[in-house]
Amino acid sequence: MKIVIVDYGMGNIKSLVSTLQYLGADDVLLSSEYDILKSADKIILPGVGSFAKAMSQIKQKKLDVSLQDIIVKHKKPLLGICLGMQLLGRSSSEDGQNAGLGFVKGDVVKFDNSNLKVPHVGFNQVKINSNLKLYAGFSNAVDFYFTHSYKMVTDEVINQSYCDYGGDFVASFETGHIAGVQFHPELSQHNGLNLFRNFIDRF
Amino acid sequence: MLRKRIIFTLIHSQGFFMQSRNFRLQKVGNLNWLEKNYQFQKIAFSLDELIVLDATKTQKSITEFAAIISNLVTHVFIPIAAGGGIRSFEDAELLFNSGADKIVLNSVLVEDVHLVKRLIQNYGSQSIVASIDYKYNQGVCDVYIHDGNTKIDLSLEEYIQYVESLHIGEIYLNSIDRDGTGFGYDFDTIQRIEKNLKVPLIIAGGAGNENHLLEGLSSIDVSAVATANLFNFIGDGLPKAREKILESGENLANWNLLY
């Protein structure tokens, strides 16, 4: 199993690599090279940090072009995590208005309820549908670790699962071979390990 | 519903983990000791987060500290925040690259606002924990930086407002008076400041048993309780404490699905 983590120079990927290795993935690579990404069985788009900075790094490494080809045209399975999920959307209002990769019709906005503490930090329950590939084997509400100030909104039907923080927001989606999770499965104990197992086995 | 968190804080100094009491450090053991007595990877399964602080009083070495973090994080699937002695962008970057999910800032919040802003711009607010140390002197609540050595001129309330204005992600509020005592958290102060906070609050200093943790968790505006008390939570102390707290119905995350 060859899993390539997209390298655009941002965030802590050590826990992600360690998790995938723990699950028995024998070939875990970090790369931004087209050929290496193309040769992967699965691709993970990680991300911690600001949307604007991330998109500028992605463009600089021409990853927008590579990923369009590998993910959209050649349908390689992809999991976006946290900012990595948000980057799959059309746009974000973090640090001005910025365009995303546009693989799904999602727009990223800030939590705006003044009664809420922002960022949204900690474990929160995701209301899941166990018919989805990501959540096979799980039952109704599952705790995952979140840490974010922005959330994705979408009108598209992309098998969203929701989590409640001052109202429901998109905690994950999966559409064909592309999935995104707003939470960090690599920081979510056994629940996260099971989710990665599903991504590896079912996508 | 958003869950509350139990956090363990490991105090590190020059290759050893320490028990701190009122910020005076006592050597307990090295990484092997921790592994032997705590079976850390197992214990991590009863924690929501781990904070590791370098409290070395003399010259801190961020590269040695980063190596400790890197060793610690292998096969620990929980968020790790690291700090103590971060003075430059490169220091922070090294900790992130060594496996820290968040960094903890203290003195630079006062001494290098430009650095704090740059870190937030790159890593986002949610990656930055502001650590605030305070103690009472003749009834007056004073805020300290430099490992509790330098008093600053702002009151605790003013200082909290100030760090929030920097757009940090969370506040780690540590009572120097209660630190390592096992007397319980300083609720007089916590209750005075918690209502007005716009960011999540982690309380630290004083927890000696699971009732103290429970007391902290039941405080409405407290997001997380932290303890650095190695002695009181040694062996299976932490897993048992979490179990009891869960049984009492407190709002903690469940990972009962076995992998």
Side-chain angles (χ1 to χ4, degrees):
Chain A
M1 174 64 58
K2 184 171 185 175
I3 302 175
V4 180
I5 299 167
V6 183
D7 179 15
Y8 56 100
M10 281 176 82
N12 163 33
I13 49 97
K14 205 167 160 22
S15 46
L16 187 54
V17 173
S18 153
T19 307
L20 296 169
Q21 283 168 344
Y22 182 85
L23 288 171
D26 46 4
D27 200 1
V28 181
L29 292 173
L30 181 65
S31 179
S32 56
E33 312 247 330
Y34 175 85
D35 290 339
I36 293 177
L37 287 162
K38 186 84 190 283
S39 71
D41 296 309
K42 321 273 173 193
I43 295 177
I44 293 180
L45 185 63
V48 169
S50 91
F51 191 100
K53 178 97 196 296
M55 272 318 287
S56 103
Q57 308 257 95
I58 281 173
K59 283 185 181 152
Q60 205 184 327
K61 291 178 186 274
K62 306 225 170 355
L63 279 163
D64 49 340
V65 181
S66 303
L67 291 173
Q68 179 72 34
D69 179 78
I70 295 165
I71 306 296
V72 179
K73 195 167 161 217
H74 291 98
K75 304 214 176 305
K76 190 80 74 183
L78 172 74
L79 175 66
I81 297 175
C82 195
L83 175 63
M85 161 186 147
Q86 297 179 354
L87 292 167
L88 303 179
R90 283 183 302 204
S91 76
S92 167
S93 60
E94 185 175 2
D95 292 334
Q97 202 66 27
N98 292 285
L101 292 166
F103 298 172
V104 294
K105 295 190 183 100
D107 299 298
V108 179
V109 297
K110 190 159 193 180
F111 278 104
D112 51 5
N113 188 333
S114 60
N115 299 321
L116 288 179
K117 294 198 174 182
V118 177
H120 170 228
V121 185
F123 283 86
N124 201 338
Q125 287 160 296
V126 177
K127 295 169 247 181
I128 58 121
N129 171 353
S130 55
N131 293 326
L132 296 176
K133 289 187 283 183
L134 278 179
Y135 300 113
F138 285 102
S139 55
N140 51 58
V142 188
D143 282 303
F144 286 105
Y145 187 84
F146 290 85
T147 172
H148 60 127
S149 308
Y150 289 78
K151 60 181 178 180
M152 183 184 274
V153 289
T154 178
D155 295 330
E156 205 180 358
V157 179
I158 43 177
N159 293 312
Q160 298 92 322
S161 297
Y162 291 94
C163 176
D164 179 14
Y165 192 58
D168 280 353
F169 71 90
V170 178
S172 73
F173 66 81
E174 63 177 74
T175 166
H177 62 293
I178 301 177
V181 291
Q182 179 59 67
F183 48 85
H184 286 273
E186 76 280 18
L187 306 178
S188 299
Q189 310 265 24
H190 289 127
N191 295 346
L193 294 175
N194 280 296
L195 184 132
F196 276 122
R197 184 85 268 162
N198 284 339
F199 175 66
I200 291 169
D201 292 347
R202 294 167 195 269
F203 277 76
Chain B
M1 179 159 59
L2 178 61
R3 307 293 204 175
K4 300 223 170 178
R5 293 171 280 158
I6 298 178
I7 299 177
F8 197 82
T9 306
L10 278 170
I11 309 286
H12 167 267
S13 178
Q14 296 172 311
F16 287 88
F17 294 100
M18 318 296 275
Q19 172 79 25
S20 168
R21 182 157 178 147
N22 307 120
F23 279 31
R24 286 186 304 273
L25 303 181
Q26 180 187 348
K27 200 181 277 185
V28 181
N30 60 14
L31 201 58
N32 288 334
W33 175 89
L34 192 73
E35 199 46 57
K36 194 164 144 247
N37 288 277
Y38 264 75
Q39 294 179 296
F40 209 75
Q41 292 168 5
K42 227 163 108 191
I43 293 230
F45 281 118
S46 33
L47 286 175
D48 294 284
E49 271 181 65
L50 184 64
I51 293 180
V52 193
L53 299 176
D54 187 9
T56 305
K57 302 273 183 189
T58 49
Q59 192 68 38
K60 296 185 208 273
S61 161
I62 203 96
T63 43
E64 276 173 36
F65 182 53
I68 294 274
I69 298 292
S70 179
N71 268 315
L72 206 60
V73 299
T74 313
H75 298 161
V76 172
F77 310 113
I78 57 171
I80 294 179
I86 296 172
R87 294 293 178 271
S88 67
F89 191 84
E90 291 69 30
D91 289 349
E93 201 172 34
L94 180 61
L95 291 179
F96 279 120
N97 290 339
S98 303
D101 300 292
K102 308 179 189 182
I103 51 167
V104 183
L105 302 180
N106 187 317
S107 305
V108 289
L109 295 168
V110 177
E111 296 183 327
D112 196 348
V113 175
H114 177 72
L115 172 63
V116 177
K117 289 195 169 148
R118 212 177 137 210
L119 287 168
I120 289 171
Q121 233 166 39
N122 273 269
Y123 294 103
S125 294
Q126 84 292 332
S127 300
I128 314 290
V129 179
S131 151
I132 302 177
D133 299 322
Y134 71 94
K135 78 173 174 197
Y136 283 84
N137 296 307
Q138 279 127 22
V140 181
C141 183
D142 291 320
V143 177
Y144 285 78
I145 57 171
H146 298 145
D147 299 299
N149 287 315
T150 312
K151 186 163 92 72
I152 64 165
D153 283 336
L154 298 176
S155 72
L156 180 61
E157 284 87 342
E158 288 167 336
Y159 189 59
I160 286 173
Q161 268 193 359
Y162 162 77
V163 297
E164 281 193 330
S165 76
L166 300 175
H167 300 294
I168 52 85
E170 293 174 84
I171 288 176
Y172 181 88
L173 185 69
N174 193 13
S175 160
I176 299 175
D177 297 316
R178 297 293 177 109
D179 176 55
T181 60
F183 296 161
Y185 293 108
D186 171 17
F187 285 107
D188 288 346
T189 308
I190 292 163
Q191 279 159 5
R192 205 171 71 227
I193 60 105
E194 64 178 350
K195 293 273 172 297
N196 301 318
L197 286 179
K198 296 181 191 71
V199 298
L201 172 67
I202 304 164
I203 56 170
N209 58 48
E210 74 252 16
N211 291 330
H212 293 149
L213 301 178
L214 192 55
E215 230 181 329
L217 291 167
S218 48
S219 199
I220 295 170
D221 289 297
V222 168
S223 300
V225 292
T227 175
N229 204 317
L230 276 171
F231 290 152
N232 289 29
F233 291 97
I234 203 157
D236 57 0
L238 265 171
K240 282 202 166 135
R242 187 184 189 90
E243 220 172 282
K244 276 195 191 163
I245 292 169
L246 266 170
E247 275 169 22
S248 79
E250 191 51 61
N251 177 30
L252 291 177
N254 260 311
W255 310 294
N256 44 12
L257 240 181
L258 285 182
Y259 178 73

